[in-house]
Amino acid sequence: MSENGNLFLRNLAGFWKTFRQNKLGLAGGFLVLVAVLVAVFAPALTDYDPSDIIRDANNRALTFAPPEVHGILGTDDAGHDVWSQLVFGSRISLVVGFMAGFIAMFVGSALGIAAGYFGGAIDSLIMRITDVLLVIPDLPLMLVLVATIRQMELKISPLAVLIVVIGLLYWTSTARLIRSQTLTIKERQFVARARAIGAGHWHIIRKHILPQLMPLIVANTVLILSTAILIESGLAFLGLGDPTKPSWGTMLNFAFDRSAISNGAWWFYLPPGIAILWVSLGCILLGNVLEEMLNPRLAAHHLEGEAGMIAIADVESKG
Amino acid sequence: MNQTPMLEVRGLYKYFPVHQALADSLMRRPHSNVKAVDDVSFSLARGEVLAVVGESGCGKTTIARTLIGLEALTKGEIVFDGKLVNAHSQQPHIGLKQLRKRAQMIFQDPYESLNPRATIFEIVAEPLVVHGMIKDRKERVAAVKSALDDAGLRPAEDYFMRYPHELSGGQRQRVVIASAMVLQPELLIADEPVSMLDVSIRAEILNLLRDLRQKRGISIVFITHDLSTVAYFADRIAVMYLGRMVEIGPAREVLQNPQHPYTKALISVAPVPNPRLRRERVILQGETPNPINLPSGCRFHPRCPVAVDMCKENDPQLIELKQGHQAACLLVTKS
Ligand SMILES: Nc1ncnc2c1ncn2[C@@H]1O[C@H](COP(=O)(O)OP(=O)(O)OP(=O)(O)O)[C@@H](O)[C@H]1O
Ligand code: SF4
Ligand SMILES: [Mg+2]
C-alpha cells in the first residue's frame, strides 16, 4: 500500500495546485469545512446545552426571546437557546447525512462495479432495481418506510433508521455512474493482461478496476452527501427526526409546529434553514468541481499538464 | 528432450456473432458471424519460435487471445503440453489458471497494457501474487529484480517505485516482458510486441526476446504483420489470410521459396535486407474482403494474381509439399 500512498500524495499535490485556482471549488470547500468544524467543536462554541431552559429574573422560561434579549440567536418557544441548538444540531445533521451518504456510496459503488464488471444476469437485475427505485418518488417512499419501521418499535435509534433508509435508497445514481465507468475500464488492455496472467475477478476488481474508479467515487460521494443532508432535513422537518436529538430539520419542524412564523421569531426558523442551505450548497459546489476535475468522462482539460488524480498522464503520453 | 509438442491447435474456429439489425431479425435472416479464425491447426515444438504473419484483420490477435483463454473458442481443441486446455474430458486436461502460469502473453500496445496506477514493482510482481508464488518478501524482491534485469531495465531498483507514464514505450514493453517472464513460463505468446514502438527500439526488444529464448529455451508464438521482423528469429513461419493459415513451413523455406501466391505477394513487397533476394513486386489488387461474407472457394481468389476458374468453387486445404512445408492453393502440388 505504501507504493499507492506515494502516488496518492504526489497526485494530491498536483490536484491541489489545480483545485486552488477554482474559486467555486474553494468556496464549496470553505462552506463544508466551516460546518464540519462547528460540529466538531460544538461544545466550545456555546455556553448552553440545547436542552437548558433559559429563565428570566423571575425564574420564568424566557420564550421567543429575540437575539437582542438573549444570546446570539435568542430562544425558542420553550426557552431553549437557539444558537446552541443550531451548533449541536450540526452534529446530528452532518452525522446522519455523512453516514447515509457513505452507505449510499458504498452500496452504489459495489453494485455498480458488480453490474459493470460481471454483466449478464447480475447487471440486468441490478439495473432493474435501479430503474424501479428511480421511478418511485423518493420522499414519499422514505416517509412510508421510516414511519413503518418506527411503528414496529424495534428499539432502533430513530437516527439509525433514517441513516439506513436514506443510505439504502440513495445509491442508484452512483451505481449507474460507476457501472458505466466500469464498463469502459473493463475493456482496457491492462485488465485483459491481468486476466491473461491468471488473476481472478476479485483481484482484478481490487487492483485494476477500483483504483481507476477511486477519484470518481470521491467526487460522487461529496455530491451524495449534499443529497443525504437535504433528505435528512426533509424527513426531520416532516417530523421523522429524533426529537431528543434535534437536527436542523427537526428545528425547522419545531419552529413550524410552534408557530414561530406567526410569532415573527425569525431567529428560530431562519438559522436552521440557512445552515441546511450552507452545507448542501458547499457539498454541491465542491462535488461538482471535484467531478469536473476527476471524472474522465467530462473534459479532462482542467488537469492538462498536471499530475492529476486520474491517470491522465498515460492518456497524454499516448497522444 | 521432451517430445510432446508445447502446443497443438486442432481445427480452431473463433466466430464473433454480428449484432443483427432489427429488420434482419424480423425477416428471420440467419445470424451472421465474423469468422475471425476459421479452421486453423498447427503445432509448436518445445523451444521453437513460430511466427504468425498476415495483414491487419486476418485474425492474428484473435488466435493469441483464444490461446490464452481470453476468448472462448467456437470450435476446436487447444492442447498444451499434451493436455487439453480448459476441457472437462476424460483425456488429460489443464485449467486456465494453470495454463496461465505456464504460458504468458505479450500484448501489442505497451501504452495500454500496464495499469497506470500500479508501480513497476507491483506490475512485475503481480503474476507471483496471483499464483501465490514466492511469498517471502525478500525473495520476491529478488525475483522482480532479476526479471527487470533480464528485461534490460537496469538498475532494476530504480524502476520499482515508478509508474508506467514515467517510462517510454520501449521501457514499458520491457516491463511487460519482465512481468511475463517472472513466472519462468514455458510458452510466450507475443502479439506484435514491437509494432507500436519506434523503429529504432524494435531491434532491441527483438534481441531481448531472442536472448530470453536462447537462455531459457522458451517456446514462442510470435505474431507480426511485418515479414522483415520474422526473418530475425523465427524457426517456422505461418502465413494467415482471412482467418486461415495458407502456408506454413520452415522460415528459410517460406521466405526463399514461397509457394502460396499470397505469401509470394507479401514477400515481394517486404523490405528484404539482401537485394539479391528481391523479386518482382506483386501488388495485390483490391481490399481484404470482410470476414463476415467470405469469398466462395479459395478465400484469396478475388485478389489472387494467378487465380483460375476452379478457385471460385474449391476451397483448398493445406497440403504437404516438402518436409514440413505446407500450402493451401489449388495450383500448388507436391513437387
Ligand atoms: N470482439 C470482437 N467482436 C467482433 N469482431 C471481432 C472481435 N475481435 C476481433 N474481431 C474481428 O475479427 C477479425 C480479426 O481481428 P484480429 O484483431 O484478430 O486481427 P489481427 O490480425 O490481429 O489484426 P491487426 O493486425 O490489426 O491487429 C477482424 O475482422 C475483427 O474486426
Ligand atoms: S487456389 Fe486459386 S485463388 Fe487461391 S491462391 Fe491458389 S491460385 Fe490463388
Ligand atoms: Mg492484432
Side-chain angles (χ1 to χ4, degrees):
Chain A
M1 284 320 281
S2 63
E3 294 111 40
N4 281 334
N6 187 3
L7 174 70
F8 184 72
L9 280 185
R10 257 183 314 149
N11 280 336
L12 213 60
F15 170 79
W16 174 244
K17 250 173 89 188
T18 330
F19 182 77
R20 213 173 42 191
Q21 323 268 319
N22 192 314
K23 299 235 160 45
L24 285 180
L26 281 181
F30 172 76
L31 295 181
V32 174
L33 188 68
V34 168
V36 170
L37 288 178
V38 167
V40 170
F41 297 108
L45 295 174
T46 170
D47 297 333
Y48 303 95
D49 190 88
S51 57
D52 286 350
I53 291 175
I54 314 299
R55 292 170 193 282
D56 61 11
N58 305 323
N59 206 21
R60 289 223 319 260
L62 197 61
T63 58
F64 285 132
E68 302 91 74
V69 178
H70 168 81
I72 301 176
L73 288 173
T75 62
D76 67 5
D77 61 300
H80 302 305
D81 179 53
V82 174
W83 170 248
S84 70
Q85 285 190 49
L86 188 73
V87 166
F88 278 94
S90 70
R91 292 186 157 185
I92 311 298
S93 287
L94 292 188
V95 164
V96 174
F98 278 35
M99 288 179 73
F102 280 115
I103 292 178
M105 183 273 298
F106 191 80
V107 174
S109 305
L111 292 180
I113 291 174
Y117 182 81
F118 292 107
I122 297 179
D123 185 23
S124 311
L125 179 70
I126 294 173
M127 283 303 108
R128 287 303 78 74
I129 298 175
T130 64
D131 287 347
V132 171
L133 285 180
L134 279 174
V135 292
I136 301 178
D138 333 300
L139 210 54
L141 175 63
M142 289 193 194
L143 263 176
V144 171
L145 272 178
V146 173
T148 319
I149 298 173
R150 284 281 192 79
Q151 293 278 297
M152 300 197 288
E153 304 194 1
L154 290 173
K155 292 218 170 75
I156 311 174
S157 128
L159 291 184
V161 174
L162 271 185
I163 290 172
V164 171
V165 169
I166 300 174
L168 291 188
L169 288 183
Y170 250 90
W171 51 265
T172 48
S173 63
T174 310
R176 290 181 158 245
L177 184 73
I178 297 297
R179 171 183 176 269
S180 74
Q181 199 55 37
T182 305
L183 283 175
T184 16
I185 298 171
K186 178 174 86 162
E187 295 306 322
R188 293 184 61 179
Q189 205 174 73
F190 60 81
V191 174
R193 201 181 74 88
R195 282 211 283 149
I197 281 171
H201 298 313
W202 179 235
H203 177 93
I204 290 177
I205 289 175
R206 226 164 27 107
K207 295 287 185 177
H208 295 276
I209 307 264
L210 203 53
Q212 328 294 325
L213 286 174
M214 229 33 228
L216 191 60
I217 293 179
V218 169
N220 190 248
T221 305
V222 180
L223 284 177
I224 291 285
L225 290 185
S226 83
T227 321
I229 288 170
L230 279 175
I231 297 281
E232 187 279 333
S233 305
L235 292 177
F237 173 69
L238 294 170
L240 292 169
D242 183 346
T244 64
K245 298 197 186 71
S247 69
W248 294 330
T250 322
M251 285 176 75
L252 278 178
N253 172 261
F254 287 165
F256 277 75
D257 249 18
R258 323 264 162 89
S259 45
I261 296 183
S262 52
N263 278 303
W266 56 266
W267 57 88
F268 190 5
Y269 60 83
L270 268 189
I274 292 172
I276 293 167
L277 208 65
W278 178 286
V279 178
S280 42
L281 186 67
C283 286
I284 289 171
L285 287 178
L286 186 64
N288 276 333
V289 170
L290 287 181
E291 182 161 57
E292 211 172 308
M293 289 173 69
L294 303 175
N295 186 346
R297 283 287 177 83
L298 305 173
H301 56 262
H302 273 279
L303 287 177
E304 212 141 49
E306 301 279 351
M309 276 182 79
I310 49 168
I312 284 195
D314 77 315
V315 177
E316 274 172 4
S317 60
K318 261 183 95 169
Chain B
M1 182 89 189
N2 192 338
Q3 287 301 304
T4 322
M6 187 75 263
L7 186 69
E8 247 192 296
V9 174
R10 300 184 195 133
L12 183 71
Y13 290 77
K14 177 66 200 180
Y15 288 0
F16 294 102
V18 180
H19 280 292
Q20 257 184 326
L22 182 63
D24 288 342
S25 54
L26 286 179
M27 304 283 284
R28 293 180 182 278
R29 291 206 187 104
H31 236 78
S32 47
N33 289 309
V34 177
K35 298 173 177 121
V37 179
D38 195 31
D39 192 6
V40 163
S41 304
F42 64 90
S43 82
L44 180 72
R46 277 185 176 272
E48 189 185 28
V49 176
L50 172 71
V52 178
V53 195
E55 290 168 302
S56 181
C58 71
K60 306 180 299 289
T61 297
T62 307
I63 288 193
R65 290 175 59 93
T66 313
L67 287 179
I68 200 82
L70 289 176
E71 306 282 1
L73 47 78
T74 306
K75 209 163 90 182
E77 283 178 349
I78 297 169
V79 182
F80 178 83
D81 194 23
K83 301 179 192 78
L84 211 50
V85 172
N86 210 22
H88 304 280
S89 64
Q90 299 297 311
Q91 293 161 277
H93 53 271
I94 179 172
L96 273 187
K97 177 121 183 180
Q98 209 51 32
L99 172 78
R100 288 166 176 175
K101 191 167 158 187
R102 297 172 61 189
Q104 292 284 319
M105 175 161 172
I106 296 177
F107 292 84
Q108 186 168 4
D109 185 352
Y111 294 93
E112 255 295 300
S113 54
L114 300 177
N115 180 344
R117 300 175 72 80
T119 60
I120 303 307
F121 181 88
E122 289 175 308
I123 289 167
V124 177
E126 190 171 22
L128 299 172
V129 175
V130 162
H131 291 281
M133 290 169 65
I134 317 187
K135 292 225 171 81
D136 178 75
R137 175 83 191 165
K138 268 210 193 102
E139 288 176 34
R140 191 169 272 181
V141 171
V144 170
K145 179 176 150 37
S146 93
L148 284 169
D149 260 348
D150 289 350
L153 293 171
R154 293 182 209 114
E157 287 88 346
D158 285 3
Y159 290 89
F160 280 5
M161 292 307 161
R162 294 170 78 179
Y163 288 89
H165 72 259
E166 300 169 45
L167 306 185
S168 69
Q171 287 173 321
R172 289 183 199 206
Q173 202 59 298
R174 286 173 191 274
V175 171
V176 172
I177 292 170
S179 172
M181 296 309 291
V182 78
L183 286 174
Q184 318 250 355
E186 295 152 67
L187 171 65
L188 194 63
I189 300 157
D191 182 15
E192 309 205 35
V194 296
S195 69
M196 306 281 286
L197 301 178
D198 281 354
V199 177
S200 53
I201 356 182
R202 285 185 185 173
E204 290 174 27
I205 300 288
L206 290 170
N207 279 332
L208 170 62
L209 285 172
R210 193 179 53 184
D211 291 350
L212 286 174
R213 179 243 182 150
Q214 272 163 4
K215 267 207 285 193
R216 309 220 180 145
I218 189 172
S219 324
I220 303 180
V221 176
F222 185 90
I223 291 169
T224 176
H225 62 257
D226 178 8
L227 265 173
S228 59
T229 61
V230 163
Y232 219 72
F233 74 130
D235 299 313
R236 280 195 304 150
I237 294 178
V239 179
M240 280 191 76
Y241 186 76
L242 276 183
R244 183 78 62 84
M245 281 183 179
V246 294
E247 180 157 6
I248 182 166
R252 264 178 100 68
E253 265 289 308
V254 173
L255 288 175
Q256 295 182 356
N257 188 19
Q259 293 301 312
H260 196 280
Y262 178 62
T263 317
K264 287 181 183 164
L266 273 189
I267 291 176
S268 77
V269 295
V272 181
N274 181 352
R276 274 200 308 130
L277 293 175
R278 167 74 65 224
R279 296 150 211 267
E280 199 187 331
R281 280 163 172 266
V282 184
I283 308 292
L284 292 176
Q285 302 298 312
E287 294 272 306
T288 321
N290 78 38
I292 301 177
N293 300 310
L294 289 173
S296 65
C298 174
R299 59 194 64 207
F300 186 51
H301 85 251
R303 299 171 75 199
C304 180
V306 295
V308 291
D309 277 349
M310 64 175 173
C311 300
K312 290 190 186 131
E313 273 122 47
N314 302 313
D315 190 5
Q317 300 298 309
L318 279 174
I319 51 166
E320 183 108 3
L321 306 168
K322 276 190 207 162
Q323 179 68 32
H325 189 179
Q326 301 171 305
C329 168
L330 298 172
L331 298 191
V332 173
T333 44
K334 198 162 180 149
S335 49

